[in-house]
Amino acid sequence: MSTTPSPTRPRASAVAAYAALALTWGSSFLLIKVALGGSGSGPGPGSGSGSGSGFTVGGVAVGRIVLGAAALVVLMALSRTRWPRERWLWAHLAVVGVLLCLAPFLLFSWAGEHLPSGLSAILNATTPIWTALAVTAASRTAGRGERLTRGQVAGVALGVVGVAVVLGLWRVVADASFAASVPAQLACLGATACYGTGFAWMRRFVTGRHGHGPLAVAAGQVGSAAVLGLLLSPVLVPRLISGGVGAPGAAPVLALVALGVLGTGLAYVWSTFVLVEWGSLAASSVTYLTPLVGVLAGVAVLGERVTWNEPVGALVVVVSVLLVQQRWPRRSPAAPLP
């Protein structure tokens, strides 16, 4: 039975969840830098470290997961939602928790201390590529899985081009600090590979195989990651505060709370809902929109100027999202790739 999402009109609730994800995750890189103790505005390596007192890399990664899990537990209690009891489901949710939370959060937090401004967002936009590869591999090894159309593959490639245009990749590459930050770039690619594999794993082994809603699935996923993070905290978080002394400032604390409650708690409820509605590849395409959110935030909050490449790239990204989600008008359905 094919599980490729239908190209019919999307539900308004899924569109709203998708937009909320773009806004929340689009702000995450700035929040990570602030939580690490930096201003998040520097152009070169180390711009996220700053001189303020912030959290360590492990403290940001594990802290946001624990805060997100706590928020979801409260929501589960208030809504009286039943927790999953299937052991097989918990096993898969633990795998997804590592792939979508613990591993990428550690990698992105570490990379946030070293990368030039904007490069993390560019690399984060490779998530749909990894998702497409993982989905294709899953469909080849099992009868149940998504089949990518030629339009979706074209949308993935076009989205990468659009994000590069929005952020002016040619300017980033010309930065002298670009080559020095290669290890951090590889860390970001490792994080997006985890995201892509996690989306495909969720679609292959979790979605449609149980009767639980997005809240219960997200709570199980983030809760599993929180338990693993706390068990490994002696290794992952040898120090909570950068420098090991003093207390973090108000800005890092508020940034970490926002990362946890919104970017890790509620965001994964929305992500699970969108994945069920549209499929793993369409759900992962939200990472194409996160750099656009960063650009708009810079204009609205920091008064930054808009250059020609930003609106042009934004238009390319919108077209790519339509292709990936199979919302582009066409006379006949595109044939699936063999």
Side-chain angles (χ1 to χ4, degrees), residues 128-209:
I129 298 177
W130 294 109
T131 305
L133 293 174
V135 166
T136 302
S139 65
R140 287 178 179 272
T141 57
R144 180 179 183 268
E146 296 177 58
R147 299 288 301 279
L148 303 184
T149 67
R150 289 185 174 87
Q152 287 179 308
V153 174
V156 169
L158 190 62
V160 175
V161 174
V163 170
V165 172
V166 168
L167 296 173
L169 182 59
W170 54 92
R171 291 194 295 265
V172 177
V173 174
D175 194 321
S177 61
F178 181 82
S181 64
V182 167
Q185 297 173 44
L186 294 177
C188 285
L189 291 176
T192 56
C194 289
Y195 281 149
T197 306
F199 277 119
W201 192 287
M202 177 82 83
R203 186 70 176 182
R204 172 68 177 84
F205 296 107
V206 178
T207 302
R209 294 178 173 268

Side-chain angles (χ1 to χ4, degrees), residues 64-335:
R64 66 180 292 190
I65 295 174
V66 172
L67 289 171
L72 291 175
V73 168
V74 172
L75 288 177
M76 290 284 288
L78 292 177
S79 62
R80 297 183 179 181
T81 302
R82 182 173 63 88
W83 286 86
R85 297 183 179 180
E86 301 89 339
R87 293 182 180 179
W88 66 267
L89 180 56
W90 276 105
H92 287 300
L93 290 178
V95 174
V96 172
V98 173
L99 292 174
L100 291 185
C101 295
L102 189 58
F105 290 175
L106 286 168
L107 291 170
F108 270 128
S109 294
W110 179 78
E113 291 189 319
H114 305 282
L115 283 183
S117 177
L119 188 53
S120 292
I122 294 175
L123 295 173
N124 183 56
T126 62
T127 297
I129 298 177
W130 294 109
T131 305
L133 293 174
V135 166
T136 302
S139 65
R140 287 178 179 272
T141 57
R144 180 179 183 268
E146 296 177 58
R147 299 288 301 279
L148 303 184
T149 67
R150 289 185 174 87
Q152 287 179 308
V153 174
V156 169
L158 190 62
V160 175
V161 174
V163 170
V165 172
V166 168
L167 296 173
L169 182 59
W170 54 92
R171 291 194 295 265
V172 177
V173 174
D175 194 321
S177 61
F178 181 82
S181 64
V182 167
Q185 297 173 44
L186 294 177
C188 285
L189 291 176
T192 56
C194 289
Y195 281 149
T197 306
F199 277 119
W201 192 287
M202 177 82 83
R203 186 70 176 182
R204 172 68 177 84
F205 296 107
V206 178
T207 302
R209 294 178 173 268
H210 57 83
H212 303 284
L215 176 57
V217 173
Q221 167 195 330
V222 180
S224 299
V227 171
L228 291 173
L230 290 174
L231 290 176
L232 296 175
S233 59
V235 177
L236 300 178
V237 196
R239 292 181 293 106
L240 180 62
I241 310 299
S242 58
V245 294
V253 170
L254 292 175
L256 186 59
V257 171
L259 277 171
V261 176
L262 295 177
T264 310
L266 293 178
Y268 278 95
V269 179
W270 301 328
S271 177
T272 302
F273 178 64
V274 173
L275 188 148
V276 171
E277 291 287 312
W278 292 353
S280 54
L281 183 59
S284 69
S285 68
V286 71
T287 58
Y288 285 153
L289 298 179
T290 53
L292 303 183
V293 173
V295 171
L296 293 175
V299 173
V301 179
L302 303 178
E304 298 176 347
R305 294 184 301 172
V306 177
T307 56
W308 68 268
N309 57 291
E310 290 164 355
V312 171
L315 180 61
V316 175
V317 167
V318 170
V319 173
S320 74
V321 170
L322 292 174
L323 287 172
V324 169
Q325 296 179 0
Q326 298 184 355
R327 313 298 179 193
W328 192 257
R330 58 183 183 271
R331 294 183 180 181
S332 59

